[in-house]
């Protein structure tokens, strides 16, 4: 293991994090929120000191970097980043328990949006901004950001590929253009543009600037931290509809936007994953609307609430305009299904990913056909192109890891005295980076009631879910750290 | 600059390494996704799987925006078709094809014109020409030519009883009695840019700049007997052997080729009436003895197996063959092979790669680009030739007044007939050719890059 190079990379990431804390600090300074400003200052200093120390120690590092280091680096940097990102909450005493602060930060970076705060409006504005900003940074991935700004991607190595693969969601991650640095730049450019567009649309709906920025940051990262106690319920129907549209937009694979940019419109609309994603959204809205007949006063209201909730859950954002815990069982069941499916690969959303669902369904169909005619050689095609067998194998392995982790987390969290539904949806919601679950963790409740141990389990679930399991799993594997 | 490399084999990988290090946008095409995966994980490149001659695949690789296509798959015809298709899709694209079938060599220039190719490379033929030059001047391990063949950088090995052993570079002119410049020394696998106090030791490999005319004198002064090679044994009867035999026969050197495959032997006997073709296993010592290895002038091992070439060469050296030349197809790590007595090492893929890289660099920077670039000292040192033009700074100023980057050395300034190994008082004028040697390892693309800012 090349520890020095890893130290250097993590040092870089902390440096970026420290820089990003500064705007939040300035907001606190500007609004004269003394405690939170002090908290930010101390955190920035602490992060800077650690970052510079790491960079100093690892000055003369060797350049060789392999898959193992890349994956470990991604796992560790997310953990370290969360540990330091929690400092502002803790040092400003706005969240008195450090574990709670860590839960909140991990929930932010992993774009989960699960909160332990019973009410958020008492938080200072600086903290609210930092909470929403962690979503934005975690959405596209902070390591990808480092690749875009640093020269690490310009060197004569492909190790950056491992980082992109580990941090970007999806079964098959590829570059948009030959150079990693440019790929990362393009991704962030599209991300920033869409975020700005979102802010503009919210401002048109007369949303206050601070609210618009925070909401847009949370939407872009498909995070879901609201800055109001009732999430998005208090805003006008126009703003809610804008949110619905942008949530869905951020749940689309970003390579589709790149294709649009280079005018390959046809291939975008023929993309099978995009079709599945839109189909799932449309179908769910339709089914829930039928199921909810008479639940709301008007049809317009029904459609608006259903579309918002479906978009929020399928993209794993987790905003809410209504308490869907009160909906009938069938609607809730569909929402549970959406939680698992999640957004598209290569988007900022979490979940199992539509691309994987597609692959699993197709390989399942092939296996059924294989029983009927065992001699026939069949391949799985996506978008008219043959999928390599190892991609299918990896997807199946991912499914097993997914189910196993879900199961054990559920058992561990069940030690607390909550109902089965609460425990299960809490795990499901954290693992898929959504935020709200059902019953005691429903959209109007929070995670504050869980024990410290359960919170720790959920923190690991969130990280594993965001990084797609393996970068976190290998941190706990003996052969990662020792050569045999 | 956007470059597509079709074919990710030995040459393809080497090109990928070199060109991605120089910062070009590379897209690789290969039919085998496994090799693409390896390259993608090792270098900052994009890859497309498929047949490189198909329009769909070329389109995916972005042929319409690309500036250059390099086709180095293992089939000549595919390379040609790939270049032609690409050219049809994007008339502005430059194309390079690797063509190695001897049956095409005669028509290579016509084909280039016909199919609008920018360049054709034939690694085996290049290697054959390289070997022929070495055989003509025994005593040097490697020769790189600059300034239209009038200046050379040659590689010498310092042995225990060598005249240069334990000589400081300041005293060198007294020993060799002609004007030469040591531009780099390879010691224990590391390239060193030596100064005047540097003392040569046993096992060092020297890289010496000299005009071609002084080479004979240099050899004489160093006590290396140069007699014209008369009889050469070639082991292995592949394409490279055929090209080499052809060149040597033309020079009146007698050639024996040992080849295992009977049909191939017959074929060679038909193609090369002047050579003697022996059907047998070159790894058997008694066969080599029978063919008179102990009193031949040069042994060239060109079989398709690197390990076998090395063993035969070692045997040749132990038999006292004055000149041994070993071909290595796959192996690259020359530092490991230093201690072995393999004589000169020739790597066709490296030669081919160098030729293409030179073309790419010239393309990137049409004005002021290097005329020639050679990698010497196991690729750790670059020797480059530049033309001084209007844009060049410091024309006419003595070199001692100029601030030249560390690790960069001006080793020769030539202008038509005048040719000088420079000292502090020398200067260059517009129209001169300047040869520099750099151990810095990067960032010299034009002559002005050698000056400190």
């Amino acid at each position: 293991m090349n520890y020095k190079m890893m130290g250097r990379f993590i040092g870089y990431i902390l440096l970026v994090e420290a820089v990003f804390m500064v705007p939040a600090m300035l907001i606190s300074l500007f609004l004269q929120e003394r405690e939170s400003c002090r908290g930010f200052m101390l955190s920035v200093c602490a992060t800077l000191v650690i970052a510079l120390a790491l960079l100093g120690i690892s000055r003369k590092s060797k350049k060789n970097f392999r898959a193992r280091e890349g994956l470990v680096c991604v796992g560790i940097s997310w953990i370290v980043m969360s540990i330091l990102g929690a400092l502002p909450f803790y040092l400003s005493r706005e969240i008195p328990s450090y574990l709670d602060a860590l839960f909140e930060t991990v929930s932010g970076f992993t774009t989960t949006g699960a909160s332990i705060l019973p009410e958020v409006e008492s938080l200072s504005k600086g903290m609210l901004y930092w909470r929403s900003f962690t979503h934005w940074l975690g959405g596209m991935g902070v390591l990808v950001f480092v690749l875009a700004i640093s020269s690490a991607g310009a060197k004569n190595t492909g190790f950056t590929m491992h980082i992109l693969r580990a941090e970007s969601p999806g079964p098959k991650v590829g570059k948009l253009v030959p150079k990693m640095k440019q790929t990362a730049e393009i991704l962030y450019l599209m991300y920033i543009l869409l975020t700005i567009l979102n802010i503009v649309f919210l401002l048109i709906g007369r949303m206050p600037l601070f609210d618009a920025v925070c909401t847009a940051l949370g939407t872009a990262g498909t995070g879901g931290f609201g800055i109001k106690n009732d999430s998005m319920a208090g805003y006008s129907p126009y703003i809610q509809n804008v949110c619905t549209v942008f949530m869905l937009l951020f749940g689309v694979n970003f390579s589709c936007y790149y294709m649009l940019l280079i005018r390959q419109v046809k291939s975008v609309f023929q993309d099978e994953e995009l079709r599945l994603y839109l189909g799932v959204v449309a179908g769910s809205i339709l089914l829930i609307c039928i199921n909810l007949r008479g639940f709301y006063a008007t049809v317009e209201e029904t459609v608006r609430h259903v579309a918002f909730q479906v978009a929020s859950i399928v993209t794993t954002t987790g905003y809410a305009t209504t308490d869907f815990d009160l909906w009938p069982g069938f609607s809730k069941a569909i929402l549970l299904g959406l939680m698992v499916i999640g957004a598209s690969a290569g988007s900022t959303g979490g979940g199992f990913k539509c691309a994987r669902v597609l692959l699993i369904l197709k390989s399942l169909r092939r296996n059924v056909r294989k029983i009927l005619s065992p001699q026939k050689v069949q391949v799985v095609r996506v978008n008219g192109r043959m999928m390599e067998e190892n991609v299918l194998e990896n997807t199946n392995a991912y499914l097993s890891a997914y189910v196993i982790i879900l199961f054990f987390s559920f058992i561990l969290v069940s030690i607390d005295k909550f109902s089965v539904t609460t425990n299960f949806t809490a795990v499901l919601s954290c693992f898929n980076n959504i935020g709200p679950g059902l019953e005691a963790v429903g959209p109007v409740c929070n995670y504050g009631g869980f024990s410290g141990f359960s919170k720790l389990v959920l923190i690991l679930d969130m990280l594993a879910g965001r990084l797609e399991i393996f970068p976190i799993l290998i941190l706990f594997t003996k052969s990662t750290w020792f050569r045999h | 600059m956007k470059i597509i490399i079709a074919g990710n084999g030995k040459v393809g990988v080497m090109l990928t390494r070199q060109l991605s290090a120089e910062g070009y946008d590379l897209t690789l095409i290969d039919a085998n996704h496994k090799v693409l995966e390896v390259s993608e994980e090792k270098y900052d490149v994009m890859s497309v799987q498929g047949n490189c001659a198909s329009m769909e695949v070329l389109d995916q690789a972005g042929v319409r925006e690309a500036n250059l296509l390099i086709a180095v798959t293992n089939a000549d015809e595919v390379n040609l078709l790939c270049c032609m298709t690409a050219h049809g899709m994007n008339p502005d694209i430059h194309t390079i094809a690797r063509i190695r079938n001897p049956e095409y060599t005669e028509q290579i220039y016509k084909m280039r014109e016909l199919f609008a190719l920018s360049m054709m490379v034939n690694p085996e033929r290049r290697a054959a020409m390289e070997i022929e030059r070495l055989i003509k001047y025994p005593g040097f391990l490697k020769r790189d030519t600059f300034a239209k063949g009038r200046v050379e950088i040659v590689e010498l090995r310092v042995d225990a009883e060598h005249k240069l052993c334990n000589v400081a570079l300041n005293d060198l002119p007294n020993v060799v009695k002609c004007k030469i410049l040591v531009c780099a020394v390879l010691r224990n696998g590391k390239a060193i840019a030596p100064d005047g106090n540097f003392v040569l030791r046993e096992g060092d490999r020297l890289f010496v700049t000299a005009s071609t005319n002084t080479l004979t004198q240099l050899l004489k002064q160093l006590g290396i007997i140069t007699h014209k090679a008369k009889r050469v044994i070639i082991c292995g009867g592949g394409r490279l052997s055929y090209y080499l035999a052809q060149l040597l026969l033309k020079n009146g050197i007698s050639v024996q080729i040992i080849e295992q495959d009977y049909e191939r032997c017959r074929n060679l006997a038909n193609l090369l009436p002047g050579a003697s073709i022996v059907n047998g296993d070159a790894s058997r010592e008694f066969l080599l003895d029978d063919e008179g290895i102990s009193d031949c002038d040069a042994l060239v091992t060109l079989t398709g197996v690197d390990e076998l070439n090395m063993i035969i060469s070692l045997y040749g050296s132990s038999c006292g063959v004055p000149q041994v030349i070993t071909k290595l197809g796959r192996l690259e790590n020359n530092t490991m092979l230093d201690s072995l007595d393999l004589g000169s090492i020739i790597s066709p893929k490296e030669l081919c790669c160098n030729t293409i890289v030179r073309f790419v660099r010239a393309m990137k920077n049409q004005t002021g680009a290097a005329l020639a670039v050679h990698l010497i000292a196991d690729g750790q040192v670059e020797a480059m030739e530049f033309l001084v033009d209007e844009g060049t700074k410091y024309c006419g100023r003595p070199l001692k007044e100029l601030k030249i980057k560390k690790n960069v050395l001006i080793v020769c300034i030539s202008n038509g007939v005048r040719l000088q190994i420079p000292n502090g008082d020398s200067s260059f004028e517009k129209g001169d050719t300047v040869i520099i040697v750099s151990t810095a390892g990067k960032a010299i693309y034009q002559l002005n890059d050698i000056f400190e800012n």
Side-chain angles (χ1 to χ4, degrees), chain A residues 67 153-162 165 173 175-182 385-386 388 390, chain B residues 2 16-17 20-21 23-27 33 37 39-46 48-49 56 59-60:
Chain A
K155 298 267 166 53
N156 178 26
T157 51
F159 83 82
T160 49
M161 200 62 207
H162 299 297
R165 275 201 197 130
V173 177
K175 298 187 210 173
L176 303 173
V177 290
K179 289 261 181 59
M180 179 58 76
K181 188 173 158 67
Q182 278 171 15
R385 304 185 65 191
M386 188 177 83
E388 297 301 336
N390 66 340
Chain B
K2 293 199 172 92
T16 308
R17 187 176 66 199
S20 82
Y24 299 103
D25 287 2
L26 295 187
T27 307
H33 80 101
E37 250 167 49
S39 285
E40 214 172 36
E41 284 181 11
K42 236 169 142 188
Y43 310 108
D44 196 5
V45 296
M46 207 161 86
V48 176
Q49 188 206 344
E56 194 198 329
D59 210 21
Q60 262 179 41

Side-chain angles (χ1 to χ4, degrees), chain B residues 155-173:
Chain B
E155 182 181 343
L156 285 169
R157 188 144 127 178
V158 182
D159 298 321
E161 286 107 56
H162 205 280
K163 269 195 175 177
L164 292 180
C165 198
N166 300 326
V167 171
L169 290 190
N170 279 333
D171 304 330
L172 201 60

Side-chain angles (χ1 to χ4, degrees), chain B residues 157-160 162 164-167 185-188 198-206:
Chain B
R157 188 144 127 178
V158 182
D159 298 321
H162 205 280
L164 292 180
C165 198
N166 300 326
V167 171
V185 176
L186 200 62
R187 179 174 286 176
N188 300 330
F198 190 87
V199 180
L200 300 172
R201 296 235 187 85
E202 184 190 344
D204 284 353
R205 277 155 68 193
L206 301 187

